[in-house]
Amino acid sequence: MWMTPKRSKMEVEEAQGFRPEWTRRYLVVEPPEGEGARCLLCAHLVESACERDVRRHYEAEHRYYQRYVEEGEREALVERLRQGDIPEVVPPTPEERAARAGLGIARLLALRGRGGGEGDFVYQCLEVVLNDVLPDHVGVLGGLDLSPETIRQRVLNMNENLRGQLFNRAKDFRAYSLALDDQAFVAYENYLLVFVRGVDVDLEVQEELLTIINLTNHFSVGALMAAILEALQTAGLSLQRMVGLTTTHTLRMIGENSGLVSYMREKAVSPNCWNVIHYSGFLHLELLSSYDVDVNQVISTVSDWILLIKTRGIRRPEFQALLTSSESEHGERVNGRCLNNWLRRGKTLKLIFSLRKEIEAFLASVGATTVHFTDPEWLCDFGFLVDVMNHLRDLSELLRFNRVFAATAFDHICSFDAKLNLLHRHLEEKNLTHFAALREVVDELKQHIKEEEKILDPGRYKVVISRLQKEFDRHFKDLKFIKKDLELFANPFNFKAEHAPIAVRMELTKLQANSDLWEEYRNKDLGQFYAGLCAETYPIIKGVAYKVASLFDSSEICEKAFSYLVRNQHTLSQPLTDEHLHALFRIATTEMEPHWDALVRVRNPPNP
């Protein structure tokens, strides 16, 4: 457990208070009274000695001064401000405005998965609009460069800017976790997406893309491991701060003796490292679990139906909702693997199941086989798959909520485990209350087959539920190992001190006796509560908070990357350098804003 760390002496985190590096970063100084931070630009006092509040004031009121980014420039600016000499806010020049607009268009094109060649088309559209609506302003397009080469370079510049911001924030991470996704890609080459989730001293969470690794060039686990370690070193992230790994279910990731997780854990074993928690059920939950549930290759058959509908039934009104759903996911053209992944989602299967009568009539009209619609076992398997995938979809939706912390996500997993026990028991009793699609199939078959035993074989599906339970136990066993840590983090005032490890009992007793902290716990969210907790008084509890907060609590950022890839599969399958691909995915998944002034200056350097 984390509350009984391997190192002999728990490292005491520094107490909250003004930090000298804030002066250069946010242009503030420590006031004479010693409380909060005083802004050098507007003299505003940020009363909270919390970096999150200082940064928010700076970004909301003084973002203009972010243009002073170079080392010498920043130091000179701070010195001027200390002397009361505040630089005048100079309005941007027409060239800078044009460069800023070009950057914004490049970003939009990247977010929509459009190639650099689309910039010329956008320019032509703007020209038409200005000619007809604002003819006196057509000249503003003269400084707007939207050529393919410029668009591509701007995308790469944005990537470097966002990457630099991530590295700056990573320096302050007290703990971090990695998410390794090797199942997202549907392009011609396979890649590993590496995401990082870190927390700073204020318990502020940051989730970002760390790197993309080309698996063609890093085929062996050893080469993959070396690439990940290099990315961590570049970002300034020490293995001593790594808390968790969340991965897919592939052998490359979780192979018992040769999987990447085993290598990472072995590398992180040292007296100064924490126990690395691994769980592999968050990423692509519906997609990967469907392979355990699809007992009769239903997906393969349904995939053939959809391809036929998209070629010969595209104008049929009964299929418009289905076709619209398909196009919203991955466009008009369908990659086979994309289609397969789309069909493995509970919502999609449920829609197709509701159209089974219409699909049967369509297949008969085009001369395709309809043998599956006369096979009772196959129809029951279809209904069962729809029901179980619908339950998995409910769990997957809950696990997409970000910033709830791993303790809440673990509660959802435990609830689903209890639901699987209930489903298993209901199958034993032939109770189809929670199997709506299967019950519908059975009721229809009863009209043609009198002997119910020949319709439904519960034992066939009990085996599937049992297999799913074992898979969930295997994928989330490490979270069960730290169950007490998660419970302590979520409910520190209700956690019984006698059930806590000896090392934390004194701190916990002191915490529970503090009425002021109890009020803060009731009125603030967990992140704010633990951010304000004194690290000197409660070092072990604070350490547990950093670790739990740094664990991935949702699949949101991975789903964001997967959705971007699926929607733009044809663009991304074109020849692209790894650097450009990395840039597109960073822009598509980041929560950070590029520093536009710095990017404009790259395009328009100031006159000496």
Side-chain angles (χ1 to χ4, degrees):
M1 290 186 58
W2 283 330
M3 286 184 283
T4 52
K6 289 188 289 185
R7 45 184 143 182
S8 58
K9 184 178 180 181
M10 184 69 185
E11 180 180 344
V12 178
E13 308 292 353
E14 66 184 52
Q16 273 196 309
F18 185 88
R19 300 211 296 275
E21 61 266 26
W22 292 357
T23 299
R24 184 183 182 281
R25 194 178 299 171
Y26 307 119
L27 306 180
V28 294
V29 292
E30 186 174 12
E33 55 270 24
E35 293 292 332
R38 177 79 64 183
C39 180
L40 286 170
L41 291 159
C42 64
H44 174 76
L45 177 65
V46 182
E47 296 182 358
S48 170
C50 172
E51 183 172 7
R52 173 172 45 205
D53 295 330
V54 176
R55 181 170 66 245
R56 283 175 180 169
H57 169 76
Y58 173 72
E59 292 180 347
E61 303 294 336
H62 309 299
R63 184 177 286 275
Y64 169 81
Y65 294 94
Q66 190 59 42
R67 62 175 52 202
Y68 295 89
V69 292
E70 299 297 333
E71 192 73 28
E73 286 183 332
R74 200 69 175 176
E75 298 300 337
L77 175 63
V78 170
E79 190 59 34
R80 286 182 64 182
L81 292 175
R82 286 183 184 276
Q83 296 173 9
D85 181 12
I86 300 177
E88 182 182 355
V89 177
V90 181
T93 64
E95 292 78 11
E96 289 175 336
R97 290 182 184 276
R100 174 66 179 82
L103 285 163
I105 291 172
R107 185 193 191 192
L108 285 175
L109 290 174
L111 288 171
R112 298 298 181 271
R114 302 296 182 182
E118 298 283 346
D120 290 333
F121 175 69
V122 173
Y123 185 93
Q124 293 170 15
C125 292
L126 291 173
E127 199 171 30
V128 169
V129 171
L130 289 177
N131 274 323
D132 291 340
V133 181
L134 296 169
D136 295 337
H137 293 74
V138 175
V140 301
L141 295 178
L144 188 61
D145 186 357
L146 297 180
S147 64
E149 296 77 14
T150 301
I151 292 291
R152 279 192 286 270
Q153 188 57 51
R154 283 173 173 162
V155 168
L156 294 176
N157 290 345
M158 275 186 273
N159 175 55
E160 283 302 310
N161 185 280
L162 293 167
R163 188 167 175 259
Q165 289 187 56
L166 172 61
F167 289 177
N168 284 333
R169 296 189 184 186
K171 295 174 184 176
D172 298 327
F173 286 170
R174 294 309 177 94
Y176 72 91
S177 295
L178 297 180
L180 310 177
D181 185 0
D182 64 342
Q183 285 288 290
F185 251 83
V186 288
Y188 296 130
E189 290 185 283
N190 206 6
Y191 290 82
L192 174 69
L193 303 178
V194 182
F195 301 97
V196 62
R197 175 187 170 105
V199 290
D200 60 17
V201 68
D202 297 317
L203 266 292
E204 190 166 352
V205 175
Q206 186 83 32
E207 282 187 15
E208 293 291 336
L209 176 69
L210 179 63
T211 189
I212 294 179
I213 299 173
N214 190 327
L215 295 177
T216 305
N217 301 332
H218 301 82
F219 184 76
S220 69
V221 174
L224 200 55
M225 174 80 174
I228 293 173
L229 292 178
E230 182 182 353
L232 290 174
Q233 184 178 10
T234 304
L237 293 170
S238 166
L239 282 178
Q240 295 179 9
R241 292 294 182 184
M242 186 167 71
V243 171
L245 282 171
T246 182
T247 68
T248 57
H249 305 186
T250 61
L251 285 176
R252 182 193 285 117
M253 293 291 119
I254 61 173
E256 188 172 349
N257 297 317
S258 59
L260 183 60
V261 173
S262 299
Y263 277 71
M264 291 289 287
R265 280 180 154 172
E266 183 179 340
K267 189 72 176 177
V269 171
S270 78
N272 293 320
C273 293
W274 292 320
N275 291 312
V276 175
I277 300 302
H278 170 249
Y279 44 102
S280 56
F282 272 22
L283 309 186
H284 311 297
L285 177 65
E286 290 176 86
L287 169 64
L288 296 169
S289 297
S290 66
Y291 290 96
D292 296 319
V293 182
D294 190 359
V295 293
N296 206 347
Q297 300 298 308
V298 172
I299 297 293
S300 177
T301 301
V302 173
S303 179
D304 293 338
W305 295 349
I306 300 302
L307 288 173
L308 200 57
I309 289 171
K310 289 181 77 69
T311 54
R312 303 183 63 179
I314 194 167
R315 298 191 182 277
R316 297 206 174 210
E318 62 268 32
F319 298 138
Q320 293 310 303
L322 181 63
L323 293 170
T324 301
S325 174
S326 171
E327 289 177 9
S328 68
E329 284 283 332
H330 41 56
E332 295 180 4
R333 294 176 292 174
V334 185
N335 173 292
R337 186 174 167 190
C338 270
L339 175 63
N340 205 282
N341 293 348
W342 174 64
L343 291 174
R344 292 183 184 278
R345 304 202 174 251
K347 183 179 179 180
T348 308
L349 275 176
K350 191 174 182 180
L351 177 58
I352 294 171
F353 180 80
S354 68
L355 293 170
R356 65 191 184 283
K357 297 295 184 185
E358 291 82 354
I359 292 174
E360 182 181 10
F362 164 71
L363 293 176
S365 70
V366 298
T369 180
T370 59
V371 65
H372 296 94
F373 293 97
T374 59
D375 184 347
E377 184 180 88
W378 191 91
L379 287 171
C380 287
D381 290 344
F382 189 13
F384 174 75
L385 177 63
V386 170
D387 289 326
V388 176
M389 291 309 298
N390 204 44
H391 292 307
L392 283 166
R393 172 176 166 253
D394 292 341
L395 174 61
S396 185
E397 289 295 326
L398 291 172
L399 294 179
R400 284 196 183 107
F401 287 104
N402 202 5
R403 304 297 189 266
V404 296
F405 299 119
T408 303
F410 182 64
D411 288 341
H412 294 324
I413 293 162
C414 291
S415 297
F416 187 77
D417 192 41
K419 180 187 281 190
L420 289 177
N421 285 326
L422 178 65
L423 295 177
H424 192 278
R425 193 160 58 248
H426 278 190
L427 284 172
E428 286 181 342
E429 301 166 355
K430 292 189 176 181
N431 180 350
L432 302 182
T433 303
H434 298 290
F435 295 92
L438 180 57
R439 184 175 67 244
E440 190 176 332
V441 170
V442 170
D443 290 343
E444 289 176 1
L445 291 174
K446 282 181 180 179
Q447 299 175 13
H448 308 288
I449 303 174
K450 294 182 179 179
E451 298 181 34
E452 187 175 342
E453 289 75 12
K454 293 184 178 181
I455 299 175
L456 181 65
D457 178 13
R460 180 181 177 83
Y461 305 127
K462 283 162 53 182
V463 172
V464 176
I465 297 295
S466 297
R467 185 164 63 235
L468 204 56
Q469 285 179 300
K470 290 179 181 177
E471 286 298 303
F472 265 72
D473 287 341
R474 183 164 69 94
H475 295 317
F476 296 108
K477 65 180 181 180
D478 273 15
L479 287 181
K480 293 181 179 180
F481 173 72
I482 60 166
K483 184 178 180 181
K484 284 189 177 181
D485 300 82
L486 298 175
E487 290 174 350
L488 172 65
F489 175 82
N491 298 293
F493 287 91
N494 296 328
F495 194 92
K496 293 184 178 180
E498 60 268 25
H499 293 164
I502 295 175
V504 79
R505 288 180 188 175
M506 184 63 72
E507 284 186 21
L508 189 58
T509 303
K510 190 189 304 182
L511 177 75
Q512 293 174 347
N514 191 318
S515 58
D516 291 335
L517 289 178
W518 164 243
E519 283 300 316
E520 287 189 26
Y521 173 75
R522 289 177 55 203
N523 298 322
K524 296 181 178 179
D525 64 40
L526 274 176
Q528 292 174 331
F529 169 73
Y530 281 111
L533 198 64
C534 178
E536 291 183 341
T537 309
Y538 307 100
I540 298 179
I541 293 178
K542 188 92 171 186
V544 171
Y546 286 137
K547 298 167 194 173
V548 173
S550 72
L551 291 174
F552 276 87
D553 56 9
S554 78
S555 60
E556 183 189 37
I557 191 168
C558 297
E559 289 293 335
K560 194 185 293 185
F562 181 69
S563 297
Y564 177 75
L565 188 147
V566 171
R567 286 196 311 271
N568 305 299
Q569 55 179 298
H570 295 288
T571 300
L572 298 175
S573 62
Q574 301 302 314
L576 292 172
T577 64
D578 288 352
E579 184 185 17
H580 200 134
L581 197 66
H582 195 161
L584 291 175
F585 272 90
R586 186 180 299 285
I587 292 170
T589 59
T590 186
E591 294 180 345
M592 299 183 294
E593 276 287 312
H595 289 157
W596 299 111
D597 285 337
L599 288 167
V600 166
R601 293 178 72 189
V602 170
R603 176 67 177 81
N604 298 280
N607 294 323

